[in-house]
Amino acid sequence: MAAVANMPVSDLLKSFKLKTKQQELLIRVSILCLVYILAFITRLFSVLRYESMIHEFDPYFNYRTTLYLTQNGFYDFWNWFDYESWYPLGRIVGGTLYPGLMVTAALIYRILHFLRFAVHIREVCVLTAPFFASNTTLVAYFFGKEIWDTGAGLVAAILIAVCPGYISRSVAGSYDNEGVAIFALLFTFYLFVKAVNTGSLAWSLASAFGYFYMVSAWGGYVFIINLIPLYVLVLLITGRYSMRLYVAYNCMYVLGMLLAMQIRFVGFQHVQSGEHMAAMGVFFLMQVFYFLDWVKHMLSDTKLFQAFLRITVTCAVTVGTIALGLGMLSGYISPWTGRFYSLLDPTYAKDHIPIIASVSEHQPTAWSSFMFDFHILLFLFPAGLYFCFKRLSDATIFIVMYGLTSMYFAGVMVRLILVATPAVCLISAIAVSATVKNLTVLLRSKNKGVQTGSTKGSGSSKASSKALLDQSQPFQKNGAIALLFGAFYLLSKYATHCTWVTSEAYSSPSIVLAARGAHGSRVIFDDYREAYFWLRQNTPPDAKVMSWWDYGYQITAMGNRTVIVDNNTWNNTHIATVGRAMSSYEDEAIEIMRSLDVDYVLVVFGGVTGYSSDDINKFLWMVRIGGGVFPVIKEPDYLVNGEYRVDKGAAPKMLNCLMYKLCYYRFGEMLTEYGKPPGYDRARGVEIGNKDIKLEHLEEAFTTSNWIVRIYKVKPPNNRW
Amino acid sequence: MAREKSSKDNAQALFHSLRSAYAATPVNLKIIDLYVGFAIFTALIQVVYMASVGSFPFNSFLSGVLSCVGTAVLAVCLRIQVNKENKEFKDLPPERAFADFVLCNLVLHLVIMNFLG
């Protein structure tokens, strides 16, 4: 009886016994599924701690446009003229944004609604970035498989799932272009490398579509259109020209360029801008190479071919330089624009374009940021480079170039650590995978050596060499085990660090602030949203709000009111006008405000809570940008001994300018900290100088519960008598 | 004098050997070459026309020229993949090469039609 019962059980077990290949496939698929889920859930800290809302400033604009797209359809979205921002100029939204992110979110929203999931568009927007981060891990797996092998692909997927450099811009709620763009970037690169490896037109077409998606998603597509020609050039120089390369690059360039020009914001830049000329130059160079290759193939006489080669090369070089020179001199080919030129010359922005210099993400990167964002990948990166150089192929050359160029740019600008992250993860994955593979081969070889020791005489030279190796160093197996433990320890430390970084540093919504109260309890400051909802509910619908440009997107999205300047910063003079108004005396400022039809003024003040990203700390940029356009604003008027002060020793112009008055109105009576006099500014750490502030042309409309946002109403002119 | 003569001889010899080598290529490749030549010729005509009347609807001009350049490039890619002398594409069946060519041309012309304006 027992024997009969055992039979079906052992049959069942036999049916599970898979062949090695199937076991490997099962392990791989399950690892990828777990990594996919991990990448998604590690980005959900802020949703769990606060609520499902959009973070920061730029995502609010993207949210507003996505809302418009879902409500009004694609045609209205593509041709949208927004009169609610940049009053009185307005903004041609359809032609000045990258639609990829909005269209993607709207598509996901429509699919979910088609499947009868009635989600709100805000939820879709909040979770778009983690979803695409998970997809990026899949692409990283396939890319790693293409460059090295499946082991490297798996490690790459795991590394990029938790890497803080990527998480910083793709947490849930960070509804910004980069969340989708990094996926598009890696996808395009993967498809292109696949096209170069196979020489197939279908893969090149796919990479052209990947490039189109990238162009529609982010302005950083310029990196792709310069890296790929550079890569082709390096291949040509190192003598790796091949037909596959010709097919891949040409198809991708022509189709990609055409597709990219369909985006209105990009327009004709691919044929007119200096930043895109490298791709065109390499395109013509490829034609020359192909032509020379063809002639060489047809001619049997090498001497004739040398003569022909000389003639053609001189002709091509002359024609090329003449065309380029004519284009640049006549101004038809525009030079590199400020944003990208400051990447090549980091000191350019500080002297010439203060708006670019003022953004904190555009500052050069400190070593601590690198360590913070990359951890062990920092020293695995050179190790991976070593492995790549050992096994050079078209694909490894690409990843080496991508890694080196992106690391240079990451060193110039903090924000670009994001672009370097996939390269660093892939190269480090190669190092990890190769090392672990070598170590495990050592571990397994000893057994084989013992078994086949008797058959040394027979053909298997591999086993015999392994056996030889083992005899010379008896502790190899122990060393390998120790090294493996070390490797796993490091990787687990990496995972812990990444999770800690995500939890502490990159999961704050910026619009909701949190702090620890006196007894350790958590205190939430929801002042921003309080102020915007007050605006929405208590002001006339056509009211115009003047504030510094940081808050423009949030005011239009949540407050639903017209703003004077917002984060798009496309018109420097308009921003300088607002800066001038903020830094002038009240009488001059009211003239400017009346000319702009301003009804309300909004300022952010951190003196009560100790919040340091407030308008008084940003004041120096208002002065610099305003002074850059209107010479009447002179920075030395506000400085005392070269620094900005707000206490008794401050400059008189500083103590009476509009920004100072609006921030510190009625603050002189406020007790902020025990043991300090009234009017003690906790963000600057000083007692303010001018406590008795009287406003003549404005009146206080609203101050939030923690005094973070203060709204003032512009009084209509006095009656004649 | 002798150098001029020898360079002229060189050019003649070059021209003749190129001509004889080209005559030996298979007919299907010659047809593709003819198509590429036609596309380039059309592109040149368009550029000359633009030079004479100006480039006002620039997107139309670009889409016209790029469609010619695009079909030329795709035809060259087809020629590469179909040419029996290319070792790298030995395993690629010519039907697959032609199917890829047709697909890419389809995408190219759809984009061109959208871009014509």
Side-chain angles (χ1 to χ4, degrees):
Chain A
M1 266 326 267
V4 172
N6 275 336
M7 281 283 284
V9 171
S10 65
D11 275 338
L12 198 66
L13 281 177
K14 266 208 192 86
S15 71
F16 273 155
K17 186 175 186 168
L18 305 164
K19 296 198 284 276
T20 319
K21 262 211 179 318
Q22 289 171 325
Q23 281 177 346
E24 198 218 345
L25 184 66
L26 180 66
I27 293 178
R28 260 193 288 145
V29 168
S30 51
I31 289 180
L32 279 177
C33 284
L34 287 174
V35 167
Y36 194 90
I37 297 173
L38 173 69
F40 191 84
I41 60 179
T42 190
R43 288 163 165 83
L44 294 180
F45 274 104
S46 67
V47 173
L48 294 169
R49 285 179 184 164
Y50 303 99
E51 62 178 86
S52 159
M53 65 178 148
I54 314 267
H55 297 186
E56 303 241 343
F57 302 110
D58 280 357
Y60 274 99
F61 172 69
N62 298 333
Y63 171 62
R64 184 164 159 251
T65 47
T66 317
L67 200 57
Y68 190 88
L69 172 60
T70 51
Q71 285 167 348
N72 301 52
F74 186 72
Y75 186 78
D76 282 338
F77 166 75
W78 201 234
N79 294 300
W80 186 19
F81 180 81
D82 184 21
Y83 51 83
E84 283 190 354
S85 58
W86 294 90
Y87 185 86
L89 306 166
R91 177 185 172 180
I92 308 172
V93 176
T96 57
L97 57 56
Y98 287 103
L101 176 69
M102 298 89 186
V103 171
T104 311
L107 205 64
I108 297 176
Y109 172 78
R110 288 226 191 285
I111 292 175
L112 287 174
H113 270 250
F114 177 72
L115 297 172
R116 302 292 179 258
F117 287 109
V119 293
H120 191 268
I121 183 70
R122 191 189 57 240
E123 319 301 336
V124 174
C125 291
V126 164
L127 294 174
T128 298
F131 174 59
F132 273 90
S134 301
N135 296 340
T136 308
T137 61
L138 286 184
V139 176
Y141 164 70
F142 285 111
F143 204 176
K145 200 163 91 147
E146 191 66 27
I147 298 176
W148 202 256
D149 61 15
T150 53
L154 283 175
V155 180
I158 298 169
L159 289 179
I160 204 171
V162 286
C163 190
Y166 185 25
I167 289 189
S168 63
R169 304 293 298 212
S170 67
V171 281
S174 171
Y175 182 56
D176 209 352
N177 299 56
E178 288 92 347
V180 175
I182 296 299
F183 166 74
L185 182 89
L186 204 59
F187 196 46
T188 310
F189 282 150
Y190 163 64
L191 291 171
F192 184 68
V193 170
K194 189 90 188 183
V196 171
N197 273 346
T198 58
S200 141
L201 265 179
W203 283 108
S204 317
L205 179 66
S207 77
F209 272 117
Y211 177 63
F212 171 55
Y213 187 44
M214 178 69 187
V215 170
S216 73
W218 195 32
Y221 74 89
V222 175
F223 181 63
I224 298 189
I225 202 65
N226 280 308
L227 180 64
I228 287 187
L230 195 64
Y231 164 64
V232 170
L233 201 62
V234 165
L235 283 186
L236 291 179
I237 292 176
T238 55
R240 283 176 176 267
Y241 169 75
S242 64
M243 298 294 187
R244 295 172 286 119
L245 182 65
Y246 180 87
V247 169
Y249 180 68
N250 279 310
C251 177
M252 191 241 183
Y253 177 63
V254 174
L255 285 173
M257 176 167 74
L258 264 175
L259 284 168
M261 290 201 278
Q262 308 308 307
I263 308 288
R264 281 169 64 191
F265 196 23
V266 171
F268 301 127
Q269 279 183 0
H270 276 74
V271 292
Q272 285 179 339
S273 153
E275 295 147 8
H276 302 78
M277 285 300 117
M280 193 182 278
V282 170
F283 175 67
F284 286 122
L285 191 65
M286 285 291 274
Q287 310 309 317
V288 170
F289 257 81
Y290 175 73
F291 184 58
L292 287 175
D293 204 44
W294 184 52
V295 167
K296 181 171 173 182
H297 176 74
M298 287 212 302
L299 282 183
S300 40
D301 188 354
T302 44
K303 247 180 40 171
L304 272 179
F305 176 65
Q306 299 286 9
F308 181 73
L309 179 70
R310 262 183 290 122
I311 302 172
T312 324
V313 168
T314 33
C315 279
V317 169
T318 341
V319 167
T321 23
I322 291 178
L324 188 69
L326 269 180
M328 300 222 62
L329 282 173
S330 68
Y332 187 72
I333 299 180
S334 59
W336 283 55
T337 56
R339 253 195 343 155
F340 297 112
Y341 189 74
S342 62
L343 286 176
L344 297 176
D345 177 13
T347 57
Y348 179 74
K350 220 161 78 135
D351 301 326
H352 298 265
I353 319 174
I355 278 205
I356 296 181
S358 73
V359 183
S360 66
E361 309 174 302
H362 291 181
Q363 306 309 317
T365 325
W367 268 111
S368 53
S369 296
F370 272 115
M371 191 59 189
F372 198 62
D373 280 342
F374 287 139
H375 204 236
I376 60 168
L377 302 185
L378 265 188
F379 64 81
L380 286 178
F381 181 70
L385 283 181
Y386 163 72
F387 279 110
C388 285
F389 275 110
K390 253 178 67 169
R391 201 213 283 188
L392 268 186
S393 69
D394 289 348
T396 48
I397 291 183
F398 179 79
I399 198 67
V400 163
M401 287 197 61
Y402 176 24
L404 291 175
T405 47
S406 60
M407 277 306 254
Y408 166 72
F409 288 123
V412 172
M413 202 187 261
V414 170
R415 191 177 178 190
L416 295 179
I417 283 189
L418 175 71
V419 175
T421 302
V424 169
C425 285
L426 277 165
I427 295 182
S428 311
I430 292 178
V432 171
S433 173
T435 314
V436 168
K437 212 170 212 165
N438 288 342
L439 290 174
T440 47
V441 156
L442 270 177
L443 270 181
R444 297 168 83 182
S445 74
K446 185 80 184 262
N447 300 334
K448 272 209 204 122
V450 165
Q451 285 169 4
T452 60
S454 54
T455 58
K456 240 194 263 188
S458 61
S460 169
S461 58
K462 239 177 29 174
S464 63
S465 65
K466 277 192 204 138
L468 272 171
L469 217 72
D470 287 337
Q471 281 175 2
S472 62
Q473 288 167 289
F475 289 107
Q476 265 199 332
K477 191 170 178 196
N478 297 338
I481 293 181
L483 283 175
L484 269 178
F485 267 119
F488 292 141
Y489 172 72
L490 276 179
L491 287 173
S492 65
K493 272 298 181 207
Y494 169 73
T496 320
H497 168 88
C498 293
T499 319
W500 174 80
V501 163
T502 314
S503 161
E504 287 299 313
Y506 290 139
S507 298
S508 82
S510 295
I511 193 169
V512 169
L513 311 161
R516 295 260 164 231
H519 302 283
S521 58
R522 213 161 63 120
V523 179
I524 303 271
F525 300 126
D526 207 1
D527 287 43
Y528 281 104
R529 295 196 293 172
E530 188 185 338
Y532 300 140
F533 282 126
W534 183 90
L535 265 183
R536 193 190 191 106
Q537 286 158 354
N538 294 291
T539 57
D542 61 350
K544 300 166 195 53
V545 181
M546 179 173 97
S547 70
W548 193 233
W549 58 262
D550 288 16
Y551 317 108
Y553 281 155
Q554 287 180 339
I555 296 176
T556 33
M558 280 191 277
N560 203 22
R561 293 289 174 265
T562 310
V563 288
I564 307 290
V565 287
D566 67 15
N567 308 54
N568 192 27
T569 65
W570 67 270
N571 190 334
N572 196 31
T573 313
H574 218 51
I575 297 182
T577 314
V578 171
R580 179 184 171 191
M582 294 293 197
S583 24
S584 315
Y585 292 123
E586 198 181 344
D587 299 324
E588 299 156 11
I590 193 68
E591 300 295 319
I592 300 174
M593 289 196 279
R594 292 237 168 86
S595 76
L596 287 173
D597 287 349
V598 174
D599 298 311
Y600 290 88
V601 182
L602 186 146
V603 293
V604 169
F605 172 58
V608 173
T609 48
Y611 177 55
S612 55
S613 305
D614 65 350
D615 280 357
I616 294 283
N617 279 346
K618 291 181 191 163
F619 186 63
L620 78 101
W621 291 110
M622 298 187 199
V623 169
R624 279 190 193 157
I625 295 176
V629 177
F630 300 105
V632 68
I633 305 284
K634 300 191 229 339
E635 199 177 348
D637 287 345
Y638 302 85
L639 298 172
V640 173
N641 285 340
E643 58 177 46
Y644 286 89
R645 292 170 64 172
V646 294
D647 53 0
K648 280 215 171 14
K653 183 133 194 204
M654 180 76 182
L655 289 175
N656 288 299
C657 69
L658 184 71
M659 175 56 71
Y660 188 94
K661 282 182 160 183
L662 294 181
C663 283
Y664 292 118
Y665 182 66
R666 288 193 307 113
F667 185 64
E669 313 136 9
M670 184 89 171
L671 271 172
T672 53
E673 214 172 294
Y674 181 70
K676 295 278 193 298
Y680 180 75
D681 183 346
R682 289 179 70 188
R684 259 68 49 186
V686 294
E687 185 187 346
I688 62 169
N690 184 2
K691 292 189 191 174
D692 188 23
I693 296 177
K694 299 259 184 303
L695 287 173
E696 196 186 326
H697 301 285
L698 295 132
E699 58 181 6
E700 186 180 3
F702 183 67
T703 299
T704 56
S705 45
N706 296 300
W707 285 55
I708 291 186
V709 183
R710 309 192 68 179
I711 304 179
Y712 293 84
K713 183 167 153 63
V714 175
K715 289 202 283 206
N718 286 329
N719 287 332
R720 210 80 61 84
W721 36 73
Chain B
M1 188 75 183
R3 250 184 92 189
E4 276 182 24
K5 197 162 185 302
S6 75
S7 69
K8 194 163 171 237
D9 276 342
N10 261 344
Q12 288 266 21
L14 193 73
F15 187 62
H16 280 304
S17 92
L18 270 177
R19 215 169 153 190
S20 59
Y22 187 66
T25 57
V27 176
N28 57 348
L29 292 183
K30 278 198 201 152
I31 294 177
I32 298 180
D33 291 339
L34 208 60
Y35 181 62
V36 172
F38 163 69
I40 305 265
F41 178 63
T42 318
L44 283 173
I45 293 183
Q46 290 184 7
V47 171
V48 166
Y49 179 70
M50 184 273 284
S52 60
V53 304
S55 69
F56 164 55
F58 193 55
N59 54 323
S60 314
F61 165 66
L62 266 184
S63 72
V65 169
L66 284 176
S67 83
C68 294
V69 170
T71 50
V73 159
L74 287 174
V76 172
C77 292
L78 175 70
R79 186 190 200 275
I80 290 175
Q81 289 183 337
V82 160
N83 197 352
K84 294 198 182 28
E85 294 170 9
N86 283 335
K87 312 265 181 326
E88 284 168 351
F89 292 102
K90 210 161 27 97
D91 306 325
L92 192 71
E95 289 82 14
R96 163 78 197 270
F98 187 66
D100 282 346
F101 171 73
V102 166
L103 180 67
C104 289
N105 263 316
L106 192 68
V107 170
L108 175 76
H109 287 98
L110 279 174
V111 179
I112 294 293
M113 287 202 297
N114 182 40
F115 201 37
L116 265 177

